[in-house]
C-alpha cells in the first residue's frame, strides 16, 4: 500500500495521510493536486507533499478520490521553500499553500443537488417554490446552489431545497470545480479557397455591390490583415463600424471563416517591445558592476549595493538581467510596493519586451494562473513583482534583485505566513544556486551589519548619475505659519513652492497620515470620538463626510455635538493628506494639485494613471503618504516638503530612528534629479535639535549607522539577537490578560530567552478583540533557535489545551517589524 501526505489549504498542524488507490499508483507524484475528502461531505484539492509506505495505526486511512493534474504544478524546489517558510516562521504548510497558490489553482468546493432517479412522481404537498425546483431537477438532473437561485426566488431557495431533500427527491453532493478558464476570442480568416487564389477576390467584391456594408467590412479585414498576423472579429467590427450580421453573412457566403482561439489575458503578451535604448555606464557604475560580479564569483552569494538616490542602480540591474538572458537564465526583480511595478515595467519593457512578466495581488485570479503557467514554462525571463512573486514556479533562476531592500513592506503582517520577503529570497536563491543583489540608498541595519561582518559582499555608488549635487535640506520650525493662509504649511515652504512653479518645476509634499483630520476633539470637555470596536480615535474624511476607523474599516456620521457634555464645539486636530490638498487648492487655485494615498487610488489602474499624469507634467503638485517616496523617479521635481517630521521619530519602537532616517532620506531623494537643478528639501518640525535632522541634512548614512549600531549592541537588539512577538487575542479582556500571564510563565522554562511583557498592545483592541503582547529576545544562533521555537510552540499548545483558554488566539511573528 502506498500512502501520501497531503497539504490542504487549511491551518492544520500537520499534513494528512491518505491512501493511493491501485488505479493511481505510479501516476501520483509530489507537487500534484489530488481531490480528497475531509470532514463531513467536504472535498478539497490538496498538494501531494510526500509518498511513503508507513501505514498509520491510530486511524482508518481514506483513499485519494481523484488525480487532478497530469504534471506537478508545484516543483520540488517550491516544496522545499514551503517547508522552510513553515518551519522558520512557525506557521502551517496549509497557511503557506493558501498564500502561495493562485486562487484558481485551489479548486473550489461546490454544493450540488442531484435528482433521485428512483422518484417517478412529485408529491402534491410541495409548495410552489419546491415544485419549481423539483421540476428543474427532473430535467437537468443536477443543479448548483447558484443555479437554484435562478430557478427559485432568492428569498425562498433555502425552503425549496429543504422540501426536495425532505421528500427524498434529491440528495446533496459536493464537487470540486475548476475555476480557471482560458480566455477565448473569435478570429476571422479568409476562406481556404480565396486564400489559395486571391484572383477570385475581384468577382467576390463585384458580388457584394448590392451589400455595401459587407463590402466595407471585407475591405477593413484586408487593411487589418496587412498589419497583423490575425484579425480579431471584435476588433474588425469595432474598426469597421459594422454589425455582427454583416460578418455572419460573409461567413455564410464562404468568403470568410471564423475560429475560436485561446488567448492570453495579459496586456503585453506577444508584444515585442521597442528597440532597447542605448546607454553607457559611467566609471563608478562600471566599478560597482565589476565588484558585484567579482564577489559573486568569490562565493559571496549575497551582495549589498548601496547607491545614493539618483545614482543609477536601475542601470546596473538592467545590465545584470540582460547578461542572465544571454545565458538563457531568469531573474526575479522584487519591489516593495505594487505601485512601483507599473513604474518599473514602463521603463524596463523597452529592454525586455514579452520576456518581462509582472506578478502581484491586483491581477485577477485568471491572470495570476496565466502568469504562473508562463513562469513554469520558462516564457518569462524577467519577473517583476512584490513579495508574492516569491511563490512562482521559477525555472533556471540566475539571480534575485531586491530593490529598496530596507522597506518594511517586504514583511508580511497578516495573515500567516508572516515572512520577510528579503530574507526569504536569500533562502530561495540558495535552492536555485542563484545569486542575490540587495539594493538601497539607506540599507537596513541588518544588511549593513552583515556587510561589516563579511557575510555579504558590498558595492557602492556614492554619486548621482550625471554627478548632480544631492538636494540641499533645510529645516523649518513648524510654528512658522501664517494662520490666515494655512495652519499646516509654513511660509518658507509655500514661498519655495511658488519659486519652484515659476521655474517650471513640480512639487512633492509628504505627510504620513491620510484623511482630513486624524482626530476630532470637543473644545469644551476634551472628548475624542473612538471606534467602538478598536482602541483608536476615528479619522475624519471630508470627501465621504464620515468618521473612519483605519483598523476595522467602520464608518460613522461626524459628530455635530459632544455626546459627553452636549456642547457643539467639535473641532479638528492635526491634519492628513486630504486637509493638505484642500489648503493647497485654496492657496494655489491655478495649479493642478493631486493627492496620492490609499483613499485616492483605489482602482486597479488608478495608481499607474496618477504616476503617468505626474510624469507627463499634468500635475504640478502631488501630496501623498509613503506611496510617493518608494523608488519613484520623477525628473522634474524641484521641491520636496516633509510636513510633520516629529511624528516619524515619536513611535515607541527600537527601529523608529532607522525608519525615520530612511524615510526622510528617501523623500529627499525625489528632488533634483536633473543636471541643471539640485532641487530643495524642506523639513518642518517642532524639535529642530533632533540628531536625525542633522544626519539627513548631511545625507550621512555612515554616521547614522555608527550611532545606531552602538545603540543596538548596547541593548541587544537585532542584528545582535532574534526577536519573536506573540500576540494573544480574545473578546474577554480579563481572559486575554490571564492567558498572556500563563503563557509568559510557561516561557520562563525556555532556555536563554529574555521575556518582555505581557503588556497590552499599542492598539489594545481591534475588531472587539483585546490584544496582549509578549516579546521574546533570543540569542542569534541557528541551531539553538530551532529547538527554542519548538518549545515556544509547545507552550502555546499547552495554553490552548487548558479549559477556558481554547478560544484564545495566539499569533506568532518571527523577526517582527
Amino acid at each position: 500500500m502506498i500512502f501520501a501526505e497531503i497539504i490542504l489549504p487549511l491551518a492544520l498542524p500537520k499534513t494528512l495521510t491518505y491512501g493511493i488507490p491501485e488505479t493511481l499508483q505510479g501516476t501520483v507524484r509530489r507537487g500534484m493536486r489530488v481531490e480528497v475528502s475531509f470532514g463531513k461531505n467536504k472535498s478539497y484539492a490538496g498538494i501531494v507533499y510526500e509518498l511513503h509506505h508507513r501505514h498509520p495505526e491510530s486511524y482508518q486511512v481514506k483513499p485519494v478520490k481523484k488525480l487532478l493534474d497530469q504534471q506537478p504544478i508545484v516543483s520540488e524546489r517550491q516544496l522545499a521553500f514551503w517547508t522552510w517558510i513553515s518551519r522558520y516562521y512557525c506557521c502551517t504548510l496549509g497557511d503557506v499553500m493558501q498564500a502561495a497558490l493562485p486562487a484558481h489553482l485551489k479548486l473550489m468546493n461546490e454544493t450540488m443537488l442531484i435528482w433521485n432517479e428512483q422518484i417517478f412522481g412529485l408529491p402534491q404537498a410541495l409548495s410552489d417554490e419546491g415544485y419549481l425546483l423539483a421540476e428543474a431537477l427532473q430535467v437537468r438532473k443536477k443543479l448548483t446552489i447558484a443555479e437554484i437561485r435562478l430557478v427559485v426566488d432568492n428569498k425562498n431557495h433555502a425552503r425549496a431545497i429543504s422540501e426536495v431533500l425532505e421528500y427524498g427527491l434529491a440528495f446533496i453532493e459536493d464537487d470540486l470545480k475548476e475555476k480557471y478558464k482560458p480566455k477565448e476570442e473569435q478570429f476571422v480568416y479568409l476562406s481556404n479557397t480565396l486564400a489559395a487564389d486571391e484572383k477570385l477576390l475581384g468577382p467576390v467584391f463585384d458580388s457584394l455591390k448590392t451589400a455595401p456594408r459587407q463590402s466595407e467590412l471585407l475591405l477593413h479585414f484586408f487593411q487589418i490583415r496587412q498589419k497583423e498576423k490575425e484579425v480579431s472579429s471584435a476588433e474588425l467590427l469595432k474598426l469597421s463600424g459594422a454589425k455582427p450580421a454583416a460578418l455572419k453573412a460573409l461567413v455564410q457566403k464562404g468568403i470568410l471563416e471564423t475560429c475560436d482561439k485561446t488567448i492570453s489575458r495579459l496586456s503585453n503578451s506577444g508584444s515585442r517591445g521597442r528597440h532597447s535604448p542605448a546607454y553607457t555606464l559611467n566609471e563608478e557604475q562600471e566599478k560597482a558592476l565589476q565588484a558585484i560580479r567579482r564577489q559573486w564569483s568569490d562565493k559571496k552569494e549575497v551582495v549589498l549595493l548601496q547607491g545614493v538616490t539618483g545614482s543609477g542602480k536601475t542601470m546596473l540591474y538592467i545590465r545584470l538581467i540582460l547578461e542572465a538572458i544571454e545565458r538563457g537564465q531568469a531573474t526575479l526583480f522584487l519591489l516593495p510596493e505594487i505601485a512601483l511595478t507599473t513604474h518599473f515595467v514602463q521603463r524596463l519593457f523597452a529592454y525586455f519586451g514579452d520576456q518581462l512578466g509582472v506578478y502581484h495581488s491586483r491581477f485577477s485570479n485568471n491572470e495570476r494562473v496565466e502568469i504562473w503557467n508562463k513562469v513554469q514554462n520558462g516564457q518569462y525571463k524577467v519577473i517583476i513583482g512584490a513579495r508574492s512573486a516569491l511563490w512562482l514556479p521559477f525555472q533556471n533562476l540566475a539571480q534575485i534583485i531586491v530593490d529598496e531592500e530596507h522597506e518594511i513592506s517586504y514583511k508580511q503582517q497578516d495573515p500567516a505566513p508572516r515572512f520577510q520577503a528579503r530574507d526569504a529570497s536569500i533562502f530561495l536563491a540558495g535552492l536555485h544556486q542563484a545569486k542575490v543583489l540587495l539594493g538601497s540608498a539607506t540599507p537596513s541595519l541588518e544588511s549593513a551589519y552583515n556587510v561589516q561582518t563579511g557575510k555579504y559582499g558590498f558595492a557602492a555608488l556614492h554619486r548621482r548619475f550625471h554627478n548632480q549635487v544631492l538636494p540641499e535640506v533645510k529645516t523649518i520650525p513648524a510654528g512658522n505659519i501664517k494662520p490666515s493662509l494655512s495652519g499646516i504649511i509654513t511660509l518658507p515652504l509655500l514661498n519655495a513652492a511658488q519659486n519652484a512653479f515659476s521655474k517650471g518645476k513640480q512639487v512633492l509634499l509628504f505627510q504620513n497620515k491620510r484623511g482630513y483630520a486624524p482626530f476630532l476633539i470637543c473644545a469644551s470637555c476634551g472628548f475624542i470620538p473612538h471606534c467602538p470596536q478598536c482602541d483608536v480615535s476615528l479619522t475624519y474624511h471630508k470627501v465621504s463626510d464620515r468618521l473612519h476607523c483605519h483598523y476595522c474599516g467602520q464608518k460613522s456620521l461626524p459628530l455635530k455635538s459632544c455626546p459627553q457634555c452636549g456642547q457643539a464645539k467639535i473641532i479638528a486636530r492635526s491634519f492628513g493628506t486630504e486637509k493638505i490638498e484642500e489648503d493647497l487648492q485654496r492657496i494655489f487655485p491655478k495649479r493642478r494639485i493631486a493627492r496620492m494615498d490609499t483613499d485616492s487610488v483605489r482602482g486597479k489602474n488608478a495608481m499607474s494613471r496618477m504616476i503617468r499624469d505626474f510624469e507627463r507634467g499634468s500635475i504640478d503638485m502631488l501630496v501623498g503618504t509613503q506611496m510617493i517616496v518608494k523608488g519613484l523617479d520623477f525628473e522634474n521635481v524641484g521641491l520636496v516638503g516633509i510636513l510633520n517630521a516629529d511624528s516619524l521619530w515619536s513611535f515607541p519602537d527600537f527601529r523608529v530612528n532607522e525608519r525615520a532616517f530612511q524615510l526622510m532620506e528617501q523623500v529627499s531623494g525625489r528632488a533634483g534629479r536633473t543636471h541643471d537643478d539640485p532641487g530643495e528639501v524642506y523639513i518642518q518640525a517642532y524639535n529642530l535639535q533632533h540628531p536625525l535632522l542633522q544626519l539627513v541634512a548631511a545625507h550621512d548614512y555612515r554616521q547614522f549607522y555608527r550611532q545606531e549600531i552602538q545603540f543596538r549592541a548596547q541593548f541587544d537588539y537585532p542584528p545582535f539577537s532574534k526577536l519573536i512577538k506573540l500576540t494573544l487575542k480574545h473578546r474577554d479582556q480579563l481572559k486575554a490578560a490571564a492567558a498572556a500571564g500563563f503563557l509568559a510563565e510557561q516561557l520562563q522554562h525556555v532556555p536563554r530567552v529574555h521575556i518582555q511583557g505581557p503588556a497590552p498592545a499599542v492598539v489594545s483592541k481591534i475588531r472587539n478583540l483585546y490584544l496582549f503582547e509578549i516579546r521574546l529576545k533570543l540569542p542569534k544562533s541557528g541551531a539553538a533557535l530551532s529547538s527554542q521555537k519548538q518549545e515556544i510552540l509547545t507552550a502555546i499548545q499547552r495554553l490552548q489545551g487548558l479549559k477556558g483558554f481554547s478560544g484564545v488566539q495566539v499569533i506568532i511573528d518571527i523577526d517582527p517589524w
Side-chain angles (χ1 to χ4, degrees), residues 782-796:
L785 187 63
S786 180
S787 63
Q788 287 168 322
K789 285 180 186 175
Q790 191 54 54
E791 292 194 50
I792 292 166
L793 290 171
T794 302
I796 293 170

Side-chain angles (χ1 to χ4, degrees), residues 509-566:
L509 292 185
F510 168 75
Q511 164 64 356
N512 210 23
K513 289 181 182 176
R514 57 192 175 99
Y516 188 84
F519 66 94
L520 302 180
I521 188 170
C522 173
S524 179
C525 70
F527 171 80
I528 297 173
H530 276 66
C531 174
Q533 297 188 124
C534 310
D535 185 25
V536 290
S537 59
L538 294 169
T539 299
Y540 177 61
H541 287 245
K542 195 170 185 179
V543 170
S544 62
D545 192 30
R546 291 290 186 275
L547 291 170
H548 292 227
C549 174
H550 288 172
Y551 282 83
C552 71
Q554 182 171 305
K555 299 176 186 178
S556 57
L557 290 169
L559 301 177
K560 301 301 180 185
S561 61
C562 177
Q564 187 164 281
C565 70

Side-chain angles (χ1 to χ4, degrees), residues 29-171:
R29 287 187 281 159
R30 292 190 76 202
M32 285 181 167
R33 292 177 302 170
V34 291
E35 181 181 342
V36 296
S37 59
F38 179 70
K40 189 177 180 180
N41 297 324
K42 284 290 183 182
S43 293
Y44 288 93
I47 296 289
V48 178
Y49 182 67
E50 183 189 359
L51 295 169
H52 60 82
H53 297 279
R54 303 185 301 274
H55 196 301
E57 297 179 358
S58 57
Y59 58 90
Q60 185 67 36
V61 175
K62 294 180 182 179
V64 166
K65 293 168 70 174
K66 190 191 300 182
L67 182 62
L68 301 172
D69 299 309
Q70 294 181 341
Q71 298 292 330
I73 65 162
V74 180
S75 69
E76 294 282 351
R77 283 196 185 103
Q78 283 177 287
L79 287 175
F81 184 53
W82 289 16
T83 303
W84 179 81
I85 290 282
S86 169
R87 290 174 180 170
Y88 184 83
Y89 290 102
C90 295
C91 61
T92 69
L93 281 167
D95 289 328
V96 181
M97 176 185 172
Q98 190 72 277
L101 285 186
H104 282 3
L105 290 181
K106 296 173 287 192
L107 301 190
M108 303 301 290
N109 193 254
E110 188 164 87
T111 301
M112 304 189 79
L113 242 60
I114 311 296
W115 175 250
N116 185 351
E117 295 291 353
Q118 306 302 314
I119 299 295
F120 298 101
L122 299 182
Q124 296 296 317
L126 284 173
S127 67
D128 291 344
E129 292 84 3
Y131 192 84
L132 272 174
L133 176 56
E135 271 195 324
L137 279 168
Q138 258 187 317
V139 175
R140 293 281 301 276
K141 304 305 180 189
K142 59 171 66 176
L143 290 171
T144 66
I145 299 298
E147 290 168 335
I148 291 170
R149 286 190 174 116
L150 297 176
V151 174
V152 183
D153 182 61
N154 193 38
K155 293 180 181 178
N156 301 317
H157 80 277
R159 176 186 167 189
I161 291 171
S162 296
E163 279 192 74
V164 297
L165 292 174
E166 184 180 340
Y167 283 103
L169 306 179
F171 56 90

Side-chain angles (χ1 to χ4, degrees), residues 591-602:
R591 295 296 170 185
R592 297 160 295 184
I593 297 164
R595 171 168 53 91
M596 185 187 285
D597 54 31
T598 53
D599 300 311
S600 63
V601 289
R602 288 193 179 277

Side-chain angles (χ1 to χ4, degrees), residues 486-712:
S486 172
I488 299 170
I489 308 167
T490 59
L491 281 173
L493 182 52
L494 289 174
N495 291 333
Q498 184 58 55
N499 185 46
F501 293 146
S502 67
K503 296 178 181 177
K505 295 291 183 179
Q506 294 166 294
V507 177
L508 282 178
L509 292 185
F510 168 75
Q511 164 64 356
N512 210 23
K513 289 181 182 176
R514 57 192 175 99
Y516 188 84
F519 66 94
L520 302 180
I521 188 170
C522 173
S524 179
C525 70
F527 171 80
I528 297 173
H530 276 66
C531 174
Q533 297 188 124
C534 310
D535 185 25
V536 290
S537 59
L538 294 169
T539 299
Y540 177 61
H541 287 245
K542 195 170 185 179
V543 170
S544 62
D545 192 30
R546 291 290 186 275
L547 291 170
H548 292 227
C549 174
H550 288 172
Y551 282 83
C552 71
Q554 182 171 305
K555 299 176 186 178
S556 57
L557 290 169
L559 301 177
K560 301 301 180 185
S561 61
C562 177
Q564 187 164 281
C565 70
Q567 296 289 322
K569 295 182 179 180
I570 304 297
I571 57 175
R573 278 289 178 263
S574 191
F575 55 90
T577 49
E578 201 179 320
K579 167 65 174 168
I580 298 164
E581 181 187 24
E582 180 185 81
D583 270 22
L584 290 169
Q585 286 172 340
R586 176 174 48 78
I587 297 166
F588 301 110
K590 295 182 180 180
R591 295 296 170 185
R592 297 160 295 184
I593 297 164
R595 171 168 53 91
M596 185 187 285
D597 54 31
T598 53
D599 300 311
S600 63
V601 289
R602 288 193 179 277
K604 181 178 178 180
N605 300 310
M607 171 80 74
S608 55
R609 282 196 299 270
M610 189 172 290
I611 291 172
R612 188 167 57 248
D613 288 345
F614 194 80
E615 284 182 320
R616 291 174 177 172
S618 302
I619 297 170
D620 297 315
M621 180 181 280
L622 187 61
V623 182
T625 56
Q626 291 189 40
M627 287 183 172
I628 67 173
V629 306
K630 295 184 178 181
L632 296 177
D633 182 4
F634 301 124
E635 289 189 356
N636 197 40
V637 174
L639 173 68
V640 167
I642 299 172
L643 299 184
N644 187 14
D646 302 86
S647 65
L648 300 179
W649 57 66
S650 301
F651 194 77
D653 188 87
F654 76 95
R655 297 186 198 272
V656 68
N657 284 342
E658 180 182 8
R659 290 178 188 162
F661 178 85
Q662 288 167 340
L663 195 52
M664 288 190 285
E665 190 65 20
Q666 290 288 113
V667 177
S668 302
R670 302 309 108 205
R673 287 180 169 242
T674 55
H675 64 276
D676 60 335
D677 183 7
E680 291 182 304
V681 177
Y682 281 68
I683 301 177
Q684 293 184 182
Y686 287 99
N687 181 11
L688 295 182
Q689 305 308 312
H690 198 284
L692 281 181
L693 288 178
Q694 282 69 48
L695 294 171
V696 172
H699 304 288
D700 193 346
Y701 175 84
R702 288 185 179 181
Q703 181 59 27
F704 163 75
Y705 173 77
R706 282 193 289 267
Q707 291 180 8
E708 195 67 14
I709 204 70
Q710 288 176 4
F711 158 75
R712 299 281 183 91

Side-chain angles (χ1 to χ4, degrees), residues 385-443:
R387 59 178 181 261
S388 59
L390 282 171
W391 305 119
L392 290 168
F394 298 103
Q395 307 295 317
N396 201 14
L397 189 64
Q399 58 202 4
I400 300 177
I401 297 170
V402 185
D403 194 36
E404 308 294 347
E405 64 86 28
H406 65 276
E407 275 291 345
I408 190 175
S409 304
Y410 281 123
K411 182 70 164 77
Q412 167 80 9
Q413 302 297 336
D414 278 308
R418 295 172 180 82
F419 67 103
Q420 222 292 352
R422 177 198 63 207
D423 300 343
S425 69
I426 295 171
F427 184 85
L428 179 65
L431 291 174
H432 287 266
Q433 296 183 320
K435 307 297 184 183
V436 178
L437 181 63
L438 308 177
S440 176
T442 54

Side-chain angles (χ1 to χ4, degrees), residues 252-268:
Q252 289 174 342
K253 291 175 181 179
I255 298 169
L256 296 177
E257 296 176 356
T258 61
C259 177
D260 288 341
K261 288 186 64 175
T262 299
I263 63 167
S264 175
R265 293 177 169 85
L266 307 173
S267 58
N268 67 334

Side-chain angles (χ1 to χ4, degrees), residues 754-769:
H754 177 66
I755 302 172
Q756 296 176 333
V762 174
V763 179
S764 61
K765 187 174 78 164
I766 297 177
R767 298 181 188 274
N768 285 325
L769 293 175

